[in-house]
């Protein structure tokens, strides 16, 4: 029997003490081995991996409170292998949501601090504990693929991007655009289903109780509920009230009570300390700071001297656009606004618009004859001065480079010139399907021959490209929010290297005034995007920022007048920045 005892003990792997220090196997000796031998002949035994899996399952089932996050230990090895690093502020956010907020919270971190990662960690934590077996994630359509990739690559959570009516009742892990989900055929299927968790990204779009989006999300049956937004407060304290009411009805009482007790006006709070305490029970807002882990951003604004022909064409086109704007009194001025932005980008972007105008026969609009003359003149410009600067920048850096432009024609011109100079590039724009976009991103990241990707505005929406650290803004969008969103593609949490941004602008054009405004007055490249969005929203009072710039251009008859107009706009923005800071800092 002693021999049997030794043989049985030796069946326990020597490494078990290292894996499970407290593991002390209980060995029972038996006289009848017939059942054991029968199972051996039939190969009815578990592998060591099966034992470990079983052991882990029992361990998870015995875990009680939320003091220790299962997701950290469960995902540790996978994250190490895939370069995923959860930051301290994200871990603290997850702990607070699951232990104090009971899985219902507004994640309102400033842009770039990883709200998606926090939401993924919370979702995975509940899944590991068996508390979430069916969930729905609602996002803008442009972000569906990004969410799908984040959940798969960082949390090993497979999701279906739901589009068909069949999907809602037959799959448990669902992701959809909110526009698809609220269609009547899909809406009823969703409302008939109970979800353990619902996550809504870009939740500030639910700020009004009168919208179909707010009412739809409010009706969904759910236990845990996360709202993600970098701007929970934009124009009106009522918007924040509506978001919190959606999340946790009654948290702030009735709107009349909330208004009387906590607001002086639409944007000005009172009883700020008490309101802030109430908000902290449902909302977490991490802010940018030295401890967050962002790398340094280097921004260089590069003036470009145009050729004589380019200069002459710009002046003639601006005069042509100004006459058309004044003759129509700004009504139906969108083509003129587009043309002004196009000529700041490239002559190749402007030529098609001029051709269309030359074919127009509407009386009272721009002169078709003058448009035809300008079309002919534009065709004579075969080279744009900005491209010489681009080629020089590309040659100087061995890094992969992203070039942004607003227009497809400019994108095509840039790629053609780069190819002539010996550089292969990839195109990334709104014409690509979702799968083609993912493939293009993969090629850009993994194939060394493709050092350059030329993106348009629509193509770059919502994509993460932290593996790249150099960006050239070939032209400047007239809305500073869109410029910051471009930069956010590479300068975000997870970027490990310093980031280099080159903004090109043609001297003595609207681009030069715009870049000075953004750099010197708005100080946009130093500002958090959420602050920038609030300031721009308040400044325009319902008008587009592009429209405000266009008015300055159209109402100025000289460079000096345009300079004065931008200076006045800068003073307004400085005042708004001061007011905005004092209004919101009390409660956010």
């Amino acid at each position: 029997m002693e021999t049997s005892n030794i043989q049985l003990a030796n069946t326990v792997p020597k490494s078990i003490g290292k894996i499970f220090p407290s593991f002390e196997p209980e060995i029972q000796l038996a006289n009848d081995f017939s059942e054991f031998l029968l199972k051996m002949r039939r190969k009815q035994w578990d592998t060591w991996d099966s034992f470990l899996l079983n052991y882990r399952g029992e361990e998870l089932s015995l875990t009680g409170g939320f003091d220790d996050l299962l997701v950290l230990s469960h995902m540790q090895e996978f994250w190490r292998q895939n370069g995923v690093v959860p930051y301290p502020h994200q871990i603290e956010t997850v702990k607070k949501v699951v232990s104090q907020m009971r899985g219902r919270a507004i994640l309102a971190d400033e842009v770039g601090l990883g709200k998606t990662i926090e939401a993924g960690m919370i979702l995975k934590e509940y899944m590991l504990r068996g508390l979430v077996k069916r969930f729905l994630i609602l996002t803008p359509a442009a972000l569906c693929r990004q969410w799908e990739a984040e959940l798969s690559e960082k949390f090993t959570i497979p999701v279906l991007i739901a589009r068909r009516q069949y999907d809602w009742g037959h799959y448990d892990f669902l992701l959809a655009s909110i526009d698809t989900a609220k269609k009547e055929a899909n809406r009823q299927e969703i409302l008939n289903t109970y979800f353990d968790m619902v996550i809504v990204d870009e939740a500030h779009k639910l700020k009004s109780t009168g919208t179909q989006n707010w009412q739809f999300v409010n009706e969904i049956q759910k236990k845990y509920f996360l709202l993600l937004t970098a701007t929970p407060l934009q124009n009106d304290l009522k918007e924040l009230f509506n978001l919190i009411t959606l999340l946790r009805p009654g948290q702030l009482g009735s709107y009349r009570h909330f208004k009387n007790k906590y607001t002086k006006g639409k944007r000005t709070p009172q009883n700020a300390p008490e309101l802030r305490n109430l908000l902290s029970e449902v909302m977490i807002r991490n802010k940018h700071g030295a401890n967050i882990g962002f790398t340094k951003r280097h921004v260089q604004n590069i003036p470009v001297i145009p050729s004589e022909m380019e200069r002459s064409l710009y002046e003639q086109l601006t005069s042509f656009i100004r006459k058309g704007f004044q003759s129509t009194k700004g009504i139906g001025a969108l083509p003129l606004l587009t043309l002004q932005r196009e000529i700041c980008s490239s002559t190749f972007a402007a030529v098609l618009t001029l051709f269309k105008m030359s074919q127009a026969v509407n009386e009272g609009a721009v002169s078709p004859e003058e448009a035809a003359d300008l079309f002919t003149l534009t065709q004579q410009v075969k080279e744009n001065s900005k491209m010489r600067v681009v080629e020089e920048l590309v040659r100087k850096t061995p890094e992969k480079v992203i070039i942004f432009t607003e227009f497809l024609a400019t994108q095509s011109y840039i790629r053609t010139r780069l190819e002539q100079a010996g550089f292969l590039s990839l195109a990334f724009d709104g014409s690509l399907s979702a799968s083609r976009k993912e493939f293009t991103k993969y090629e850009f990241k993994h194939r060394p021959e493709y050092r350059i990707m030329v993106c348009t505005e629509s193509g770059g929406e919502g994509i993460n490209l932290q593996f790249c650290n150099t960006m050239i803004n070939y032209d400047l969008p007239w809305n500073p929010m869109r410029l910051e969103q471009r930069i956010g593609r590479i300068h975000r949490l997870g970027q490990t290297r310093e980031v280099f941004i080159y903004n090109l602008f043609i001297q003595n054009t609207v681009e030069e005034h715009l870049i000075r405004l953004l750099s010197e007055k708005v100080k946009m490249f130093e500002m958090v995007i959420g602050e920038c969005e609030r300031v721009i929203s308040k400044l325009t009072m319902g008008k587009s920022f592009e429209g405000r710039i266009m008015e300055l251009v159209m109402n100025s008859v000289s460079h000096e007048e345009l300079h004065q107009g931008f200076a006045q706009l800068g003073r307004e923005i400085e005042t708004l920045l001061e007011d905005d800071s004092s209004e919101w800092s009390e409660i956010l």
Side-chain angles (χ1 to χ4, degrees), residues 556-580:
S556 303
V557 296
S558 67
H559 290 300
E560 182 57 33
E561 280 194 23
L562 186 59
H563 174 74
Q564 292 174 359
F566 270 94
Q568 175 59 34
L569 180 58
R571 288 190 289 271
E572 290 180 40
I573 291 176
E574 286 180 320
T575 302
L576 287 170
L577 280 169
E578 294 172 4
D579 294 345
D580 192 74

Side-chain angles (χ1 to χ4, degrees), residues 52-80:
L52 291 179
L53 183 63
N54 213 357
Y55 185 95
R56 182 62 176 154
E58 291 296 327
E59 186 181 50
L60 291 175
S61 68
L62 294 174
T63 303
F66 290 97
D67 294 334
D68 295 320
L69 295 178
L70 300 182
V71 67
L72 297 180
S73 56
H74 181 82
M75 300 298 298
Q76 182 178 15
E77 182 60 23
F78 179 82
W79 282 344
R80 186 188 65 78

